[in-house]
Amino acid sequence: MRVLVGVKRVIDYAVKVRVKADKTGVVKDNVKHSMNPFDEIALEEAVRLKEKKIAKEVVAVSCGPTASQETLRTALAMGADKAIHVEVDAATAEKMEPIHVAKILAKLIEKEKFDLVILGKQAIDDDANQTGQMLAGFLDWPQAMFASKIEPDGSTHLKVTREIDGGLDTIKVKLPAVISADLRLNEPRYATLPNIMKAKKKPLEKKTPADFGVEIKPQTETVEVSDPPVRQAGIMVDDVQSLVSKLREKGAIP
Amino acid sequence: MLAFRHSLKLSRHNTLCTRLNSTLVIAEHNEEQLAAVTRNAITAATKLGGDVSVLVAGSKADKVAAEVSKIANVKRVLLAKDAKLGGQLPERLTPVVLASHKQFKFSNIVAGASSFGKGLIPRVAAKLDVSPVSDVIAVHGADSFTRTMYAGNAVTKVKSLAPVKLITFRGTAFEAAADGGSAAVENAPSSDIKTDTSEFLSSELSKSERPDLGTASIVVSGGRGLKNGENFKLLYDLADKLGAGVGASRAAVDAGFVPNDMQIGQTGKIIAPELYIAVGISGAIQHLAGMKDSKTIVAINKDPDAPIFQVADFGLKADLFKAVPEMTALLSK
């Protein structure tokens, strides 16, 4: 089985983002970036499938500016065999939507045979939670989103436990399929120094959206990006008694 | 002349759009009852202008269709009843949605931003070759919406150029639509539902007598500070006194204190109750994303530097193991 994993370079999850003064976006220059946390989980799962001899090859793909190659090197250091960088300039990358990424991945899959695609359930920058579902739609493959457990079911199917609103559900999907990883799927490994060194020698193929015949034509215009409303400063209370009376005064509790 | 003709064409196009604006809401349900978030989505749908239709698809969804037909502002209920639709798999629902769209040419196809809506809407969008808009918190017109990014740290106003708008709405951002309608229930156009690629096997839902997190007016939430799962009983006791739902931070879920579906945050549930009581939760960015629109926020934490105090209306620096039982006892009086 060949597994494709999508990885996105995003502002590190621990960074408190700042909105630009001209309201066109958030400040990205000189801000720490790293692999989207959900993509680390997706990749870890793919590497584990390889370690269990279920997968034969794991390919990591990223769409974005040149700096995305750092993210791909991390993916290679974590255990991917090969990386594909679909390069777009920084300005175009800003305008890229999940639909464009899904189209590129769909074309890539049509060119090279993959049996399974694992993506993160959402990127923590745009919070869209769309790419996996759209890719499955384009390919007409079954989808198993928000996966917290993946088990093979014979050689043609996977049994996937998903995190849904009220708890969990389990579905069976026929390969080829698209899966999106939720937080609880696994605990991603750290890339060790020897593996980081080895990753430098692994193949990284460069492509452009044009190679896949995909035009980045935005369907969603950003009109304005602003700060969320600031909450009024609160007060510290001395004890439980005064907390309860303040809440009662406010009518928040009976 | 060309320019004039062009503008004429444009304006005619615009009137046509306004007149024909119509929305299909995909109902979420468990075959017995409509999910609360669908009522919020219906309210959001009415803000788009035009007629609102609701698609109820399931294996025995008559009861839900009847419930939906009584909701105010719902013009038409499309019922797709088929044993194949039990389990509500997106691969099977998508052709049903597309068949309805083919017949009625909706300008918007929407659902609540729950795991159901998030799973389905982008797949339908791909089939229609349009870019969807996720987790919308405000509607400014037929094509202009507000959503959040970066765990709620940036608020973005977007204009969708997509010929059909595929949208999920954040439930807490819109009122629940009340009853007061009398829509006709008709059968949805038939579609070819393939069953060979995916199958629903089972679900394991957390049982709780407490109010649903998404709709509870008071939520008591615990974090790593609770130390173990047994100690969550302190929160359950307090919640029961308040008629509150109980949530958790990611740390509490990862540590195995409580099940995943209780997680509040960027990647868990996004809630906005009247009162949110955070107990032993530091207040990481990802947690704040899920609760900072709560009307009143209370933080109980022994660390005076915990970021949660920066968003709390009332903060109490105290040991939760003393403060929470004391609060429960005070409320009993």
Side-chain angles (χ1 to χ4, degrees):
Chain A
M1 181 158 84
R2 290 188 85 212
V3 186
L4 182 70
V5 179
V7 294
K8 185 177 186 183
R9 179 178 181 266
V10 297
I11 293 181
D12 190 86
Y13 73 94
V15 172
K16 174 95 173 70
V17 298
R18 281 184 304 126
V19 171
K20 284 187 197 165
D22 66 2
K23 296 195 165 190
T24 55
V26 304
V27 177
K28 290 185 178 171
D29 294 339
N30 302 316
V31 171
K32 186 185 175 199
H33 282 67
S34 43
M35 189 189 293
N36 180 43
F38 288 98
D39 302 347
E40 288 185 356
I41 297 169
L43 183 67
E44 173 67 30
E45 196 65 18
V47 174
R48 287 186 192 188
L49 287 172
K50 197 185 158 191
E51 288 167 347
K52 286 184 207 152
K53 312 268 186 232
I54 297 165
K56 221 161 90 191
E57 191 188 21
V58 176
V59 178
V61 58
S62 191
C63 303
T66 318
S68 301
Q69 289 176 18
E70 294 162 17
T71 307
L72 286 168
R73 288 288 171 205
T74 309
L76 292 168
M78 283 174 70
D81 299 293
K82 185 182 136 181
I84 300 171
H85 178 215
V86 182
E87 185 158 17
V88 290
D89 60 74
T92 312
E94 280 288 312
K95 293 195 162 71
M96 245 181 145
E97 296 163 19
I99 191 173
H100 306 122
V101 178
K103 275 186 182 176
I104 290 169
L105 299 187
K107 291 284 180 197
L108 171 69
I109 290 159
E110 275 171 29
K111 284 188 178 178
E112 292 189 42
K113 196 185 166 305
F114 287 97
D115 309 281
L116 179 64
V117 182
I118 314 180
L119 305 176
K121 79 161 176 179
Q122 79 191 58
I124 59 162
D125 52 0
D126 63 19
D127 282 334
N129 196 332
Q130 296 172 352
T131 309
Q133 296 88 313
M134 297 195 84
L135 176 61
F138 286 130
L139 294 168
D140 244 323
W141 286 7
Q143 66 185 57
M145 298 296 123
F146 330 129
S148 64
K149 194 173 175 191
I150 303 171
E151 304 158 279
D153 187 75
S155 58
T156 52
H157 288 76
L158 292 175
K159 224 164 87 177
V160 182
T161 303
R162 311 181 324 123
E163 293 194 13
I164 55 166
D165 291 325
L168 299 168
D169 73 7
T170 306
I171 60 168
K172 192 166 131 176
V173 289
K174 189 178 175 198
L175 293 168
V178 180
I179 293 183
S180 80
D182 213 324
L183 275 179
R184 247 67 61 175
L185 184 58
N186 60 47
E187 189 75 45
R189 71 194 65 190
Y190 288 101
T192 59
L193 189 59
N195 284 342
I196 293 170
M197 300 311 287
K198 271 185 228 157
K200 290 185 178 164
K201 293 196 182 96
K202 287 188 181 177
L204 192 153
E205 204 178 311
K206 287 176 208 171
K207 296 276 183 192
T208 65
D211 294 335
F212 301 103
V214 175
E215 194 195 345
I216 315 290
K217 198 173 155 200
Q219 285 192 29
T220 311
E221 270 176 17
T222 300
V223 178
E224 183 185 282
V225 179
S226 46
D227 283 308
V230 184
R231 286 190 78 96
Q232 289 275 321
I235 55 163
M236 293 299 286
V237 294
D238 297 326
D239 49 30
V240 175
Q241 179 77 58
S242 42
L243 174 62
V244 169
S245 40
K246 292 271 185 210
L247 289 174
R248 280 192 172 136
E249 251 169 60
K250 218 179 162 187
I253 56 171
Chain B
M1 185 63 192
L2 255 177
F4 170 72
R5 273 175 61 182
H6 182 66
S7 75
L8 190 74
K9 211 167 128 193
L10 267 182
S11 80
R12 202 186 283 156
H13 181 71
N14 283 338
T15 14
L16 212 65
C17 281
T18 331
R19 196 171 62 229
L20 293 179
N21 205 6
S22 61
T23 302
L24 179 67
V25 181
I26 317 296
E28 177 178 351
H29 61 89
N30 60 4
E31 305 284 355
E32 287 291 322
Q33 225 180 352
L34 186 69
V37 71
T38 305
R39 286 183 181 262
N40 307 104
I42 290 170
T43 300
T46 59
K47 293 179 193 290
L48 294 165
D51 289 347
V52 174
S53 303
V54 180
L55 173 68
V56 181
S59 62
K60 45 178 171 61
D62 313 69
K63 209 171 138 188
V64 178
E67 186 184 344
V68 172
S69 69
K70 295 191 188 77
I71 297 175
N73 294 318
V74 173
K75 189 80 179 275
R76 179 197 288 129
V77 179
L78 296 169
L79 171 62
K81 206 169 77 162
D82 192 321
K84 293 174 187 167
L85 296 171
Q88 315 254 309
L89 292 165
E91 296 81 4
R92 302 187 189 192
L93 283 173
T94 299
V96 177
V97 178
L98 293 174
S100 297
H101 177 61
K102 199 174 167 200
Q103 179 166 341
F104 297 102
K105 305 267 181 290
F106 297 104
S107 40
N108 315 289
I109 301 176
V110 308
S114 55
S115 44
F116 168 81
K118 288 173 184 172
L120 177 66
I121 293 292
R123 187 176 180 104
V124 176
K127 287 288 171 208
L128 296 171
D129 196 17
V130 298
S131 196
V133 188
S134 295
D135 215 358
V136 163
I137 60 167
V139 174
H140 308 291
D143 60 0
S144 169
F145 318 107
T146 294
R147 60 182 304 269
T148 64
M149 300 199 306
Y150 295 96
N153 288 298
V155 179
T156 312
K157 195 171 168 185
V158 297
K159 186 176 173 199
S160 170
L161 312 173
V164 184
K165 317 285 186 245
L166 274 285
I167 308 168
T168 57
F169 290 110
R170 184 178 298 177
T172 57
F174 302 91
E175 297 282 316
D179 282 349
S182 55
V185 178
E186 55 186 275
N187 286 326
S190 67
S191 46
D192 180 19
I193 305 167
K194 292 199 175 64
T195 56
D196 56 332
T197 61
S198 62
E199 194 185 328
F200 174 83
L201 297 178
S202 62
S203 63
E204 203 183 305
L205 301 180
S206 314
K207 285 187 195 79
S208 167
E209 300 295 307
R210 289 181 194 91
D212 177 63
L213 270 177
T215 47
S217 65
I218 303 179
V219 171
V220 179
S221 221
R224 201 195 305 270
L226 268 294
K227 294 201 168 79
N228 61 46
E230 287 78 66
N231 289 336
F232 257 77
K233 184 169 185 304
L234 297 174
L235 300 192
Y236 295 140
D237 291 344
L238 174 60
D240 290 344
K241 279 279 170 295
L242 294 165
V246 179
S249 70
R250 179 186 166 185
V253 174
D254 281 352
F257 301 172
V258 292
N260 309 347
D261 57 299
M262 282 170 66
Q263 188 186 326
I264 310 289
Q266 180 184 20
T267 63
K269 290 194 173 63
I270 295 175
I271 61 168
E274 291 291 315
L275 174 63
Y276 186 80
I277 305 178
V279 181
I281 292 177
S282 65
I285 300 171
Q286 291 76 15
H287 184 73
L288 300 182
M291 45 61 77
K292 68 179 178 184
D293 292 328
S294 305
K295 199 147 171 228
T296 302
I297 298 173
V298 170
I300 302 176
N301 205 305
K302 63 180 178 192
D303 173 11
D305 298 322
I308 191 79
F309 284 124
Q310 288 161 25
V311 299
D313 299 281
F314 301 107
L316 174 64
K317 181 193 163 289
D319 180 358
L320 72 93
F321 295 103
K322 286 202 187 94
V324 174
E326 198 184 326
M327 191 167 172
T328 309
L330 266 176
L331 291 168
S332 309
K333 281 179 195 165

PDB file of all heavy atoms in Angstrom, chain B residues 196-224:
ATOM      1  N   ASP B 196     -21.155   0.579  -1.765  1.00  0.00           N
ATOM      2  CA  ASP B 196     -20.031  -0.359  -1.757  1.00  0.00           C
ATOM      3  C   ASP B 196     -18.756   0.167  -1.114  1.00  0.00           C
ATOM      4  O   ASP B 196     -17.872  -0.599  -0.793  1.00  0.00           O
ATOM      5  CB  ASP B 196     -19.734  -0.827  -3.193  1.00  0.00           C
ATOM      6  CG  ASP B 196     -19.469   0.345  -4.116  1.00  0.00           C
ATOM      7  OD1 ASP B 196     -20.013   1.436  -3.832  1.00  0.00           O
ATOM      8  OD2 ASP B 196     -18.721   0.188  -5.085  1.00  0.00           O
ATOM      9  N   THR B 197     -18.653   1.496  -0.914  1.00  0.00           N
ATOM     10  CA  THR B 197     -17.353   1.980  -0.432  1.00  0.00           C
ATOM     11  C   THR B 197     -17.301   2.264   1.064  1.00  0.00           C
ATOM     12  O   THR B 197     -16.227   2.347   1.627  1.00  0.00           O
ATOM     13  CB  THR B 197     -16.911   3.262  -1.171  1.00  0.00           C
ATOM     14  OG1 THR B 197     -17.885   4.273  -0.930  1.00  0.00           O
ATOM     15  CG2 THR B 197     -16.741   3.015  -2.658  1.00  0.00           C
ATOM     16  N   SER B 198     -18.442   2.460   1.691  1.00  0.00           N
ATOM     17  CA  SER B 198     -18.377   2.746   3.122  1.00  0.00           C
ATOM     18  C   SER B 198     -19.591   2.185   3.836  1.00  0.00           C
ATOM     19  O   SER B 198     -20.657   2.023   3.249  1.00  0.00           O
ATOM     20  CB  SER B 198     -18.279   4.252   3.358  1.00  0.00           C
ATOM     21  OG  SER B 198     -19.422   4.890   2.864  1.00  0.00           O
ATOM     22  N   GLU B 199     -19.387   1.891   5.085  1.00  0.00           N
ATOM     23  CA  GLU B 199     -20.439   1.241   5.851  1.00  0.00           C
ATOM     24  C   GLU B 199     -20.361   1.733   7.295  1.00  0.00           C
ATOM     25  O   GLU B 199     -19.268   1.818   7.869  1.00  0.00           O
ATOM     26  CB  GLU B 199     -20.188  -0.270   5.807  1.00  0.00           C
ATOM     27  CG  GLU B 199     -21.341  -1.118   6.260  1.00  0.00           C
ATOM     28  CD  GLU B 199     -20.931  -2.596   6.298  1.00  0.00           C
ATOM     29  OE1 GLU B 199     -20.088  -3.017   5.474  1.00  0.00           O
ATOM     30  OE2 GLU B 199     -21.431  -3.300   7.168  1.00  0.00           O
ATOM     31  N   PHE B 200     -21.505   2.040   7.862  1.00  0.00           N
ATOM     32  CA  PHE B 200     -21.550   2.444   9.265  1.00  0.00           C
ATOM     33  C   PHE B 200     -21.610   1.180  10.111  1.00  0.00           C
ATOM     34  O   PHE B 200     -22.438   0.299   9.856  1.00  0.00           O
ATOM     35  CB  PHE B 200     -22.797   3.317   9.497  1.00  0.00           C
ATOM     36  CG  PHE B 200     -23.026   3.674  10.930  1.00  0.00           C
ATOM     37  CD1 PHE B 200     -22.349   4.738  11.499  1.00  0.00           C
ATOM     38  CD2 PHE B 200     -23.906   2.946  11.714  1.00  0.00           C
ATOM     39  CE1 PHE B 200     -22.541   5.069  12.832  1.00  0.00           C
ATOM     40  CE2 PHE B 200     -24.102   3.272  13.045  1.00  0.00           C
ATOM     41  CZ  PHE B 200     -23.417   4.329  13.606  1.00  0.00           C
ATOM     42  N   LEU B 201     -20.737   1.060  11.090  1.00  0.00           N
ATOM     43  CA  LEU B 201     -20.733  -0.154  11.898  1.00  0.00           C
ATOM     44  C   LEU B 201     -21.412   0.055  13.253  1.00  0.00           C
ATOM     45  O   LEU B 201     -22.327  -0.680  13.608  1.00  0.00           O
ATOM     46  CB  LEU B 201     -19.300  -0.665  12.106  1.00  0.00           C
ATOM     47  CG  LEU B 201     -18.538  -1.088  10.839  1.00  0.00           C
ATOM     48  CD1 LEU B 201     -17.131  -1.527  11.186  1.00  0.00           C
ATOM     49  CD2 LEU B 201     -19.272  -2.200  10.093  1.00  0.00           C
ATOM     50  N   SER B 202     -20.969   1.031  13.996  1.00  0.00           N
ATOM     51  CA  SER B 202     -21.548   1.216  15.324  1.00  0.00           C
ATOM     52  C   SER B 202     -21.196   2.595  15.866  1.00  0.00           C
ATOM     53  O   SER B 202     -20.310   3.259  15.357  1.00  0.00           O
ATOM     54  CB  SER B 202     -20.975   0.177  16.291  1.00  0.00           C
ATOM     55  OG  SER B 202     -19.577   0.372  16.396  1.00  0.00           O
ATOM     56  N   SER B 203     -21.913   2.992  16.917  1.00  0.00           N
ATOM     57  CA  SER B 203     -21.499   4.219  17.592  1.00  0.00           C
ATOM     58  C   SER B 203     -21.516   3.980  19.083  1.00  0.00           C
ATOM     59  O   SER B 203     -22.231   3.113  19.588  1.00  0.00           O
ATOM     60  CB  SER B 203     -22.393   5.390  17.210  1.00  0.00           C
ATOM     61  OG  SER B 203     -23.704   5.160  17.630  1.00  0.00           O
ATOM     62  N   GLU B 204     -20.707   4.749  19.742  1.00  0.00           N
ATOM     63  CA  GLU B 204     -20.547   4.603  21.179  1.00  0.00           C
ATOM     64  C   GLU B 204     -20.716   6.009  21.734  1.00  0.00           C
ATOM     65  O   GLU B 204     -19.776   6.806  21.746  1.00  0.00           O
ATOM     66  CB  GLU B 204     -19.119   4.119  21.428  1.00  0.00           C
ATOM     67  CG  GLU B 204     -18.876   3.412  22.723  1.00  0.00           C
ATOM     68  CD  GLU B 204     -17.395   3.069  22.824  1.00  0.00           C
ATOM     69  OE1 GLU B 204     -16.880   2.404  21.902  1.00  0.00           O
ATOM     70  OE2 GLU B 204     -16.775   3.521  23.790  1.00  0.00           O
ATOM     71  N   LEU B 205     -21.939   6.339  22.105  1.00  0.00           N
ATOM     72  CA  LEU B 205     -22.191   7.708  22.526  1.00  0.00           C
ATOM     73  C   LEU B 205     -22.100   7.813  24.046  1.00  0.00           C
ATOM     74  O   LEU B 205     -22.524   6.919  24.771  1.00  0.00           O
ATOM     75  CB  LEU B 205     -23.569   8.162  22.035  1.00  0.00           C
ATOM     76  CG  LEU B 205     -23.748   8.099  20.506  1.00  0.00           C
ATOM     77  CD1 LEU B 205     -25.126   8.561  20.100  1.00  0.00           C
ATOM     78  CD2 LEU B 205     -22.687   8.935  19.801  1.00  0.00           C
ATOM     79  N   SER B 206     -21.516   8.918  24.504  1.00  0.00           N
ATOM     80  CA  SER B 206     -21.402   9.121  25.944  1.00  0.00           C
ATOM     81  C   SER B 206     -22.793   9.420  26.488  1.00  0.00           C
ATOM     82  O   SER B 206     -23.497  10.268  25.954  1.00  0.00           O
ATOM     83  CB  SER B 206     -20.497  10.297  26.248  1.00  0.00           C
ATOM     84  OG  SER B 206     -19.331  10.222  25.488  1.00  0.00           O
ATOM     85  N   LYS B 207     -23.157   8.708  27.520  1.00  0.00           N
ATOM     86  CA  LYS B 207     -24.483   8.948  28.099  1.00  0.00           C
ATOM     87  C   LYS B 207     -24.347   9.934  29.245  1.00  0.00           C
ATOM     88  O   LYS B 207     -23.444   9.829  30.059  1.00  0.00           O
ATOM     89  CB  LYS B 207     -25.086   7.632  28.603  1.00  0.00           C
ATOM     90  CG  LYS B 207     -25.580   6.771  27.464  1.00  0.00           C
ATOM     91  CD  LYS B 207     -26.326   5.561  27.994  1.00  0.00           C
ATOM     92  CE  LYS B 207     -26.480   4.533  26.896  1.00  0.00           C
ATOM     93  NZ  LYS B 207     -25.260   3.745  26.672  1.00  0.00           N
ATOM     94  N   SER B 208     -25.243  10.900  29.273  1.00  0.00           N
ATOM     95  CA  SER B 208     -25.194  11.861  30.362  1.00  0.00           C
ATOM     96  C   SER B 208     -26.577  12.431  30.610  1.00  0.00           C
ATOM     97  O   SER B 208     -27.336  12.670  29.681  1.00  0.00           O
ATOM     98  CB  SER B 208     -24.219  12.977  30.005  1.00  0.00           C
ATOM     99  OG  SER B 208     -24.374  14.039  30.893  1.00  0.00           O
ATOM    100  N   GLU B 209     -26.891  12.627  31.855  1.00  0.00           N
ATOM    101  CA  GLU B 209     -28.176  13.225  32.220  1.00  0.00           C
ATOM    102  C   GLU B 209     -28.075  14.744  32.152  1.00  0.00           C
ATOM    103  O   GLU B 209     -29.059  15.447  32.195  1.00  0.00           O
ATOM    104  CB  GLU B 209     -28.548  12.832  33.659  1.00  0.00           C
ATOM    105  CG  GLU B 209     -28.685  11.322  33.883  1.00  0.00           C
ATOM    106  CD  GLU B 209     -29.839  10.735  33.087  1.00  0.00           C
ATOM    107  OE1 GLU B 209     -30.967  11.266  33.217  1.00  0.00           O
ATOM    108  OE2 GLU B 209     -29.622   9.770  32.338  1.00  0.00           O
ATOM    109  N   ARG B 210     -26.833  15.225  32.087  1.00  0.00           N
ATOM    110  CA  ARG B 210     -26.610  16.672  32.134  1.00  0.00           C
ATOM    111  C   ARG B 210     -26.923  17.302  30.777  1.00  0.00           C
ATOM    112  O   ARG B 210     -26.905  16.623  29.763  1.00  0.00           O
ATOM    113  CB  ARG B 210     -25.173  16.964  32.520  1.00  0.00           C
ATOM    114  CG  ARG B 210     -24.926  16.628  33.951  1.00  0.00           C
ATOM    115  CD  ARG B 210     -23.537  16.921  34.417  1.00  0.00           C
ATOM    116  NE  ARG B 210     -23.420  16.236  35.682  1.00  0.00           N
ATOM    117  CZ  ARG B 210     -22.980  15.002  35.816  1.00  0.00           C
ATOM    118  NH1 ARG B 210     -22.552  14.343  34.776  1.00  0.00           N
ATOM    119  NH2 ARG B 210     -22.979  14.422  36.996  1.00  0.00           N
ATOM    120  N   PRO B 211     -27.184  18.631  30.787  1.00  0.00           N
ATOM    121  CA  PRO B 211     -27.497  19.279  29.515  1.00  0.00           C
ATOM    122  C   PRO B 211     -26.353  19.149  28.506  1.00  0.00           C
ATOM    123  O   PRO B 211     -25.186  19.054  28.895  1.00  0.00           O
ATOM    124  CB  PRO B 211     -27.730  20.738  29.899  1.00  0.00           C
ATOM    125  CG  PRO B 211     -27.408  20.885  31.325  1.00  0.00           C
ATOM    126  CD  PRO B 211     -27.249  19.539  31.930  1.00  0.00           C
ATOM    127  N   ASP B 212     -26.717  19.141  27.251  1.00  0.00           N
ATOM    128  CA  ASP B 212     -25.768  19.068  26.144  1.00  0.00           C
ATOM    129  C   ASP B 212     -24.837  20.293  26.186  1.00  0.00           C
ATOM    130  O   ASP B 212     -25.286  21.415  26.382  1.00  0.00           O
ATOM    131  CB  ASP B 212     -26.581  19.063  24.844  1.00  0.00           C
ATOM    132  CG  ASP B 212     -25.704  19.061  23.629  1.00  0.00           C
ATOM    133  OD1 ASP B 212     -24.969  18.076  23.476  1.00  0.00           O
ATOM    134  OD2 ASP B 212     -25.742  20.039  22.867  1.00  0.00           O
ATOM    135  N   LEU B 213     -23.549  20.045  26.008  1.00  0.00           N
ATOM    136  CA  LEU B 213     -22.559  21.131  26.100  1.00  0.00           C
ATOM    137  C   LEU B 213     -22.869  22.295  25.164  1.00  0.00           C
ATOM    138  O   LEU B 213     -22.720  23.453  25.525  1.00  0.00           O
ATOM    139  CB  LEU B 213     -21.174  20.593  25.744  1.00  0.00           C
ATOM    140  CG  LEU B 213     -20.326  20.053  26.879  1.00  0.00           C
ATOM    141  CD1 LEU B 213     -19.026  19.509  26.310  1.00  0.00           C
ATOM    142  CD2 LEU B 213     -20.055  21.134  27.904  1.00  0.00           C
ATOM    143  N   GLY B 214     -23.273  21.952  23.951  1.00  0.00           N
ATOM    144  CA  GLY B 214     -23.498  22.979  22.934  1.00  0.00           C
ATOM    145  C   GLY B 214     -24.620  23.941  23.280  1.00  0.00           C
ATOM    146  O   GLY B 214     -24.617  25.086  22.849  1.00  0.00           O
ATOM    147  N   THR B 215     -25.589  23.484  24.069  1.00  0.00           N
ATOM    148  CA  THR B 215     -26.755  24.323  24.336  1.00  0.00           C
ATOM    149  C   THR B 215     -26.904  24.693  25.813  1.00  0.00           C
ATOM    150  O   THR B 215     -27.776  25.481  26.161  1.00  0.00           O
ATOM    151  CB  THR B 215     -28.042  23.619  23.867  1.00  0.00           C
ATOM    152  OG1 THR B 215     -28.020  22.268  24.330  1.00  0.00           O
ATOM    153  CG2 THR B 215     -28.151  23.621  22.356  1.00  0.00           C
ATOM    154  N   ALA B 216     -26.073  24.125  26.701  1.00  0.00           N
ATOM    155  CA  ALA B 216     -26.201  24.407  28.139  1.00  0.00           C
ATOM    156  C   ALA B 216     -25.984  25.892  28.403  1.00  0.00           C
ATOM    157  O   ALA B 216     -25.134  26.519  27.781  1.00  0.00           O
ATOM    158  CB  ALA B 216     -25.173  23.588  28.911  1.00  0.00           C
ATOM    159  N   SER B 217     -26.754  26.476  29.318  1.00  0.00           N
ATOM    160  CA  SER B 217     -26.555  27.901  29.603  1.00  0.00           C
ATOM    161  C   SER B 217     -25.451  28.090  30.634  1.00  0.00           C
ATOM    162  O   SER B 217     -24.883  29.168  30.753  1.00  0.00           O
ATOM    163  CB  SER B 217     -27.855  28.572  30.018  1.00  0.00           C
ATOM    164  OG  SER B 217     -28.281  28.031  31.229  1.00  0.00           O
ATOM    165  N   ILE B 218     -25.157  27.042  31.394  1.00  0.00           N
ATOM    166  CA  ILE B 218     -24.003  27.103  32.303  1.00  0.00           C
ATOM    167  C   ILE B 218     -23.118  25.888  32.018  1.00  0.00           C
ATOM    168  O   ILE B 218     -23.621  24.780  31.832  1.00  0.00           O
ATOM    169  CB  ILE B 218     -24.433  27.078  33.788  1.00  0.00           C
ATOM    170  CG1 ILE B 218     -25.408  28.236  34.094  1.00  0.00           C
ATOM    171  CG2 ILE B 218     -23.220  27.140  34.716  1.00  0.00           C
ATOM    172  CD1 ILE B 218     -25.909  28.286  35.535  1.00  0.00           C
ATOM    173  N   VAL B 219     -21.811  26.112  31.944  1.00  0.00           N
ATOM    174  CA  VAL B 219     -20.877  25.002  31.756  1.00  0.00           C
ATOM    175  C   VAL B 219     -19.778  25.092  32.807  1.00  0.00           C
ATOM    176  O   VAL B 219     -19.194  26.153  33.034  1.00  0.00           O
ATOM    177  CB  VAL B 219     -20.255  25.012  30.340  1.00  0.00           C
ATOM    178  CG1 VAL B 219     -19.125  23.982  30.225  1.00  0.00           C
ATOM    179  CG2 VAL B 219     -21.322  24.724  29.282  1.00  0.00           C
ATOM    180  N   VAL B 220     -19.536  23.965  33.479  1.00  0.00           N
ATOM    181  CA  VAL B 220     -18.433  23.857  34.426  1.00  0.00           C
ATOM    182  C   VAL B 220     -17.381  22.985  33.748  1.00  0.00           C
ATOM    183  O   VAL B 220     -17.705  21.919  33.225  1.00  0.00           O
ATOM    184  CB  VAL B 220     -18.897  23.190  35.740  1.00  0.00           C
ATOM    185  CG1 VAL B 220     -17.729  23.058  36.706  1.00  0.00           C
ATOM    186  CG2 VAL B 220     -20.032  23.973  36.371  1.00  0.00           C
ATOM    187  N   SER B 221     -16.134  23.463  33.730  1.00  0.00           N
ATOM    188  CA  SER B 221     -15.127  22.768  32.955  1.00  0.00           C
ATOM    189  C   SER B 221     -13.878  22.522  33.791  1.00  0.00           C
ATOM    190  O   SER B 221     -13.493  23.375  34.590  1.00  0.00           O
ATOM    191  CB  SER B 221     -14.767  23.662  31.773  1.00  0.00           C
ATOM    192  OG  SER B 221     -14.632  22.919  30.618  1.00  0.00           O
ATOM    193  N   GLY B 222     -13.274  21.358  33.587  1.00  0.00           N
ATOM    194  CA  GLY B 222     -12.089  21.025  34.381  1.00  0.00           C
ATOM    195  C   GLY B 222     -10.872  20.768  33.529  1.00  0.00           C
ATOM    196  O   GLY B 222     -10.982  20.333  32.386  1.00  0.00           O
ATOM    197  N   GLY B 223      -9.706  21.015  34.095  1.00  0.00           N
ATOM    198  CA  GLY B 223      -8.455  20.809  33.373  1.00  0.00           C
ATOM    199  C   GLY B 223      -7.513  19.896  34.119  1.00  0.00           C
ATOM    200  O   GLY B 223      -7.927  19.121  34.985  1.00  0.00           O
ATOM    201  N   ARG B 224      -6.243  20.041  33.781  1.00  0.00           N
ATOM    202  CA  ARG B 224      -5.210  19.187  34.366  1.00  0.00           C
ATOM    203  C   ARG B 224      -5.194  19.272  35.899  1.00  0.00           C
ATOM    204  O   ARG B 224      -4.880  18.310  36.589  1.00  0.00           O
ATOM    205  CB  ARG B 224      -3.844  19.627  33.829  1.00  0.00           C
ATOM    206  CG  ARG B 224      -2.766  18.581  33.935  1.00  0.00           C
ATOM    207  CD  ARG B 224      -1.389  19.186  33.727  1.00  0.00           C
ATOM    208  NE  ARG B 224      -1.272  19.927  32.465  1.00  0.00           N
ATOM    209  CZ  ARG B 224      -0.895  19.375  31.325  1.00  0.00           C
ATOM    210  NH1 ARG B 224      -0.584  18.113  31.270  1.00  0.00           N
ATOM    211  NH2 ARG B 224      -0.808  20.100  30.234  1.00  0.00           N
TER     212      ARG B 224
END
